[in-house]
Amino acid sequence: MVRNPEIDELIGALRAQGVHSVLAQFTDIVGAPKGKLVPLEHLQDLVHIGAGFSGPSIWGTGLPRMGVRSEYYGRILSHTLQVLPFWPGVARAICNGFAGGEPLETCSRQVLRRQVQRLRDRGLTLWVGVEPEFFLLREQGGQWQPADAQDQLDKPSYDLQSLYRQRGLLEELRVTLKALGFVLQQIDHEDANAQYEVNYKHDEALAAADRFQLFKLSVQAVAQKHGVRYCGMPKPFAHAPGSGLHLHVSLTDVTGRAVMANPEGLLGLSETGLRFANGLLTHADALTALSAPTVNSYKRLASTRSASGTTWAPVWKSIGYNNRTCTLRTVAGRLEWRVSDPSCNLYLALAGLIAAGLDGLDHGDWPLPQACDEDLYERHAQGLPMPPRLPRDLAQALDALEADAPLRVAVGTAVCQEFLSVKRQEWSQYAQHISSWEWQQYATGA
Ligand code: GLU
Ligand code: MG
């Protein structure tokens, strides 16, 4: 192998910063960051050949136990190397998955790369603002509780007393994220006890997914250091709002002009924006599987009440201007996809959104969406007819993905098949589990 002098230079620069190891990080099909530590001197190999992992031991690779394609190679992207403030001596780099010397069709980052390329072929770039909501919890004797026992307000949105009590952790998170190049916009207490939201500047789609993985690694590490746990479960507590991962999306053309916005247009959108939204609404059921992919996700996507009014999670397929009760909220010429939650693989969720949006752009003959200017929770409470519902549980969502052949083909048949197989297994385990609720309801018979 010919040594790349630029990589040798990089090794020198990282060594001078005290780095001894590279964390070669990829993402498995369920969205978890995975990887291994490799001594810095192997950086040339990591870039050209990749870090080797046993393919079948990773969720959803579809790789066999033996032969040339049994090894998952994570080829690192040297420009993504960043020294981790919370892991002394370690620099993290993002990997693209390869097997048998070819890009791996089940690697979710490769899947998103393909969709980004489809946009680029039309001179388009998708920008994504990711809004992570999460809980800070403590695990005691198998029970999960708010990390801060005093965080008990009935209406806890923007609670400054809890924010102040968590200032040590939040300050360390701020410093960590800043050192990692995040441009922070705000940190606040969300609508449930122990729930927080961190907002940072948007990125191009692939970079947004890479950054979200780095966000999770950072918040998990900082929380652990402060003796608490980051919880990205969509609905940890039945009585309180859950955590979403809203995605603000917009498109620019080759000149950098925002092509989805039109302040005078319906919903503040241009024809392109409306057609893209149409694609998302048309494929919404299948997209729900990719955006809200766990059993628990559907306990969030339900119309239940909280002290502040509602769960604020979408239930019906709809689009409205600055309407948080809809699946798609339009704001400032952007689309906010409100279905996704932190348990998703963001690469796959975004790949699905792009594939669906492009289908909308290609179907100029589809009627334009109707703007919803009502509070849908209110409408539902009054017993009025509602727009069609999103899937009610993971099984329905998976059926919808299976049934939506055009979307599956556009996203990638192999990755969708693996996703469906892993997630059907998850559903089947859940369906066979006997919960304490069932014991309470049925133990003594009818
Ligand atoms: N936590 C809500 C959700 O599950 C969203 C609240 C908000 O609009 O920020 O989607
Ligand atoms: Mg929020």
Side-chain angles (χ1 to χ4, degrees), residues 39-375:
L40 181 60
E41 51 270 30
H42 297 301
L43 192 59
Q44 294 274 1
D45 285 351
L46 289 178
V47 173
H48 299 295
I49 304 165
F53 302 90
S54 152
S57 60
I58 303 162
W59 280 125
T61 59
L63 295 175
R65 273 193 289 271
M66 40 191 295
V68 70
R69 275 176 60 86
S70 63
E71 205 72 358
Y72 175 102
Y73 281 102
R75 277 191 207 163
I76 72 154
L77 297 161
S78 56
H79 71 271
T80 66
L81 272 162
Q82 278 185 299
V83 181
L84 292 178
F86 50 85
W87 202 335
V90 173
R92 173 252 199 186
I94 302 278
C95 298
N96 276 323
F98 284 77
E102 300 289 330
L104 179 63
E105 62 281 14
T106 53
C107 161
S108 51
R109 193 173 193 282
Q110 297 281 22
V111 171
L112 179 56
R113 274 183 76 195
R114 236 190 88 230
Q115 296 304 321
V116 164
Q117 188 56 48
R118 289 182 68 208
L119 283 173
R120 199 171 292 148
D121 292 343
R122 299 170 188 227
L124 296 172
T125 303
L126 187 83
W127 298 91
V128 184
V130 181
E131 297 190 340
E133 296 178 336
F134 58 92
F135 285 74
L136 290 175
L137 302 179
R138 213 178 280 281
E139 195 188 354
Q140 264 163 1
Q143 294 274 55
W144 290 82
Q145 283 152 13
D148 172 4
Q150 294 175 62
D151 184 345
Q152 285 181 356
L153 291 183
D154 285 342
K155 218 168 165 57
S157 269
Y158 313 119
D159 173 16
L160 288 183
Q161 296 198 47
S162 298
L163 201 73
Y164 183 68
R165 282 191 297 272
Q166 291 296 345
R167 68 191 177 281
L169 186 159
L170 295 175
E171 172 59 4
E172 188 162 346
L173 183 60
R174 182 189 72 79
V175 171
T176 302
L177 295 177
K178 193 152 183 266
L180 288 167
F182 286 69
V183 179
L184 274 178
Q185 288 165 334
Q186 54 189 23
I187 299 180
D188 64 20
H189 193 289
E190 250 296 345
D191 205 13
N193 299 124
Q195 192 187 29
Y196 293 85
E197 177 165 340
V198 173
N199 296 140
Y200 49 83
K201 193 169 177 261
H202 62 275
D203 287 289
E204 172 284 319
L206 256 179
D210 291 342
R211 192 183 292 283
F212 178 58
Q213 296 303 77
L214 188 55
F215 175 78
K216 283 194 291 187
L217 288 174
S218 305
V219 66
Q220 282 162 351
V222 172
Q224 200 133 24
K225 214 166 141 189
H226 287 258
V228 302
R229 301 283 296 273
Y230 157 86
C231 172
M233 186 170 166
K235 186 81 172 179
F237 303 109
H239 65 278
S243 289
L245 186 74
H246 306 153
L247 304 173
H248 284 253
V249 299
S250 57
L251 288 171
T252 53
D253 64 13
V254 278
T255 67
R257 190 175 61 93
V259 292
M260 273 180 18
N262 175 8
E264 269 93 60
L266 175 69
L267 294 156
L269 297 177
S270 65
E271 174 90 12
T272 302
L274 290 167
R275 297 267 171 233
F276 199 88
N278 239 358
L280 303 194
L281 290 171
T282 304
H283 294 285
D285 290 349
L287 292 179
T288 299
L290 298 172
S291 303
T294 57
V295 165
N296 184 252
S297 297
Y298 296 84
K299 308 203 169 163
R300 166 180 167 255
L301 299 177
S303 160
T304 52
R305 297 202 74 75
S306 73
S308 61
T310 67
T311 61
W312 297 109
V315 183
W316 303 277
K317 285 178 263 184
S318 50
I319 181 167
Y321 178 75
N322 202 6
N323 189 340
R324 287 183 169 82
T325 71
C326 291
T327 311
L328 276 174
R329 164 183 173 230
T330 66
V331 58
R334 300 191 299 269
L335 293 172
E336 181 190 31
W337 174 251
R338 292 179 63 81
V339 178
S340 34
D341 70 50
S343 72
C344 76
N345 176 326
L346 188 52
Y347 296 97
L348 292 185
L350 288 174
L353 292 189
I354 295 174
L358 282 176
D359 202 28
L361 292 187
D362 286 344
H363 282 92
D365 54 324
W366 285 350
L368 291 175
Q370 278 190 349
C372 165
D373 54 8
E374 275 180 280
D375 179 328

